[in-house]
Amino acid sequence: MARKELVPGVGRLSRSQTYARRQLYKGRKTGTASAKPEAAPTKEVQVGGDKNGGTRLVPTSKAPRFYPAEDVRKPKQSRKTAKPTKLRDSITSGTVLILLAGRFRGKRVVFLKQLESGLLLVTGPYKVNGVPIRRVNQAYVIATSTKINLGDFKVDSKINDAYFAKSEKKRTRSAEEEFFADGKPKEKGAFPETKAADQREVDKVVLAAVKKTEYLAKYLKASWGLSKGEYPHQLVF
Amino acid sequence: MPRESNFARFVEVGRVVLLKAGPHTGHIAVISEIIDHNRAIVDGPTTGVPRQAFPYRHLTLTSLTVPKLPRNAGSGTVKKHLEKADIVSKWESSAWAKKRAAAAKRRTLTDFERFQVIVHKKARRDKVRKVLKAAKA
């Protein structure tokens, strides 16, 4: 069998190769293995000879007769830690952002706050351009100089990263089987009422602020794009 | 009698020029002396351009001239003549300068302001179209 390590600290297989070999794509094992009865460390054996005391305690498994001549070096522990994401200076509460990636690319949205994970919490508002409360990465965003005065509005602290996490569902059947029940695609579940209420709550304040400036709602509704001869690095946002 | 030349703008002392390069790009100045086939001395005491040699390839001739500007005049004299001929206000009221100013202004607009321009242009188009239709009918 091939060695597991090429040199101490460098494995033969990459992370993804190990993943494939160990068939980790099948999913993490759930449930605990049944506990094996622990073997006794020693057992008593009968010893012949008069002067040997009759019985003796002997370890059940023999200690190895050889030790590796060379010490196996341990990989160095990395002390690097990820720094918290720095919010761009141009992004403050109420800043109009242009989304550049994802399902809502090209939409202009309102920034609410930065979440613990470093992602930005934004809203369309939903009524204006159909963008719900959403998390976006600031790398995929253009910050404009247009700011909406939200005053000292604070987003409810329940809207955090956990709020957006998908609920983990136990699957008994495969996804396909589940989707096509009775030869028809499964009907979509209704949007949770609590989330719709949260959206309304947040948008109420944002919409009120948007209405104060002429054309602003229209601006948020319009999507952004580049036309011929326009280059984003030459534009002023 | 045939015309003297088909050209209307000449490199001459007193010709107002637009600078196209260097730290004074976009400013106007006046030719006060012709050095050779490549360069002239330009001076713009009213537009902040110091007296300096400037290659023609980095100049654009305008239709304005300062009448009776003496050859190789110093900055003081040039200033007097420029003010007398009212060159700066003539330049600023020209369509060329206005277009340049508008283009420069456009470049500084923010995304929201650009959007408002679109909205206003649409409104103007709509109005023109309606009036035109009413006039035709």
Side-chain angles (χ1 to χ4, degrees), chain B residues 78-130:
Chain B
V78 171
K79 189 172 182 181
K80 242 181 249 164
H81 277 82
L82 280 172
E83 276 163 1
K84 197 177 163 207
D86 210 11
I87 291 298
V88 175
S89 67
K90 269 186 198 159
W91 166 248
E92 275 166 5
S93 60
S94 69
W96 185 1
K98 277 180 191 162
K99 265 185 216 163
R100 283 179 60 86
K105 171 81 181 160
R106 245 338 137 66
R107 274 196 291 277
T108 62
L109 293 189
T110 66
D111 194 42
F112 184 35
E113 285 164 341
R114 272 195 298 276
F115 176 77
Q116 289 177 54
V117 169
I118 294 172
V119 170
H120 288 132
K121 272 187 153 181
K122 272 187 184 166
R124 183 177 68 184
R125 266 203 308 275
D126 188 54
K127 214 167 204 174
V128 167
R129 190 181 57 79
K130 278 178 182 157

Side-chain angles (χ1 to χ4, degrees), chain A:
Chain A
M1 199 189 137
R3 281 184 302 171
K4 265 191 173 173
E5 285 188 325
L6 294 172
V7 287
V10 179
R12 171 165 292 277
L13 297 173
S14 73
R15 197 174 295 174
S16 61
Q17 282 169 322
T18 321
Y19 189 85
R21 291 228 178 167
R22 292 178 59 198
Q23 300 185 313
L24 290 176
Y25 47 80
K26 284 184 174 169
R28 196 171 287 179
K29 271 184 192 159
T30 51
T32 49
S34 54
K36 280 180 198 162
E38 211 167 296
T42 53
K43 59 179 178 186
E44 220 171 47
V45 287
Q46 297 291 327
V47 189
D50 303 335
K51 293 169 185 172
N52 287 335
T55 60
R56 196 178 285 170
L57 277 175
V58 175
T60 40
S61 59
K62 254 189 194 171
R65 282 171 52 195
F66 303 105
Y67 291 99
E70 273 182 65
D71 287 335
V72 177
R73 262 184 282 165
K74 275 186 187 161
K76 203 171 173 185
Q77 198 119 46
S78 173
R79 282 177 295 186
K80 289 172 188 166
T81 50
K83 275 185 214 153
T85 317
K86 188 183 172 293
L87 188 64
R88 237 184 279 162
D89 288 338
S90 50
I91 303 175
T92 54
S93 174
T95 303
V96 174
L97 305 175
I98 299 167
L99 303 185
L100 297 177
R103 166 161 146 53
F104 294 105
R105 71 187 82 98
K107 296 273 189 185
R108 295 175 173 116
V109 297
V110 179
F111 170 71
L112 298 171
K113 69 166 185 179
Q114 190 181 31
L115 298 172
E116 201 88 316
S117 60
L119 295 172
L120 312 181
L121 185 70
V122 301
T123 181
Y126 185 73
K127 203 180 166 190
V128 172
N129 56 15
V131 182
I133 301 177
R134 217 176 139 70
R135 291 183 298 175
V136 291
N137 187 338
Q138 68 173 345
Y140 299 108
V141 135
I142 293 175
T144 71
S145 54
T146 310
K147 298 207 193 301
I148 292 163
N149 187 10
L150 296 179
D152 52 0
F153 169 64
K154 286 266 180 296
V155 182
D156 197 335
S157 59
K158 77 178 168 189
I159 302 177
N160 52 17
D161 285 305
Y163 180 85
F164 294 97
K166 275 186 186 155
S167 60
E168 217 166 293
K169 267 186 271 174
K170 282 260 178 188
R171 274 230 176 82
T172 45
R173 298 174 289 174
S174 79
E176 196 182 340
E177 264 178 60
E178 200 171 302
F179 190 74
F180 289 106
D182 312 327
K184 266 187 285 182
K186 198 173 70 173
E187 274 183 29
K188 266 189 183 173
F191 190 69
E193 189 51 46
T194 54
K195 289 207 170 182
D198 293 339
Q199 178 78 52
R200 278 196 296 274
E201 183 90 352
V202 171
D203 282 1
K204 200 169 65 189
V205 182
V206 179
L207 273 173
V210 163
K211 271 182 191 157
K212 279 180 193 155
T213 315
E214 209 188 355
Y215 301 121
L216 194 56
K218 217 172 182 183
Y219 170 64
L220 290 172
K221 195 179 177 188
S223 46
W224 176 84
L226 289 170
S227 49
K228 227 180 231 179
E230 268 188 337
Y231 303 101
H233 61 279
Q234 287 171 347
L235 290 176
V236 177
F237 288 93

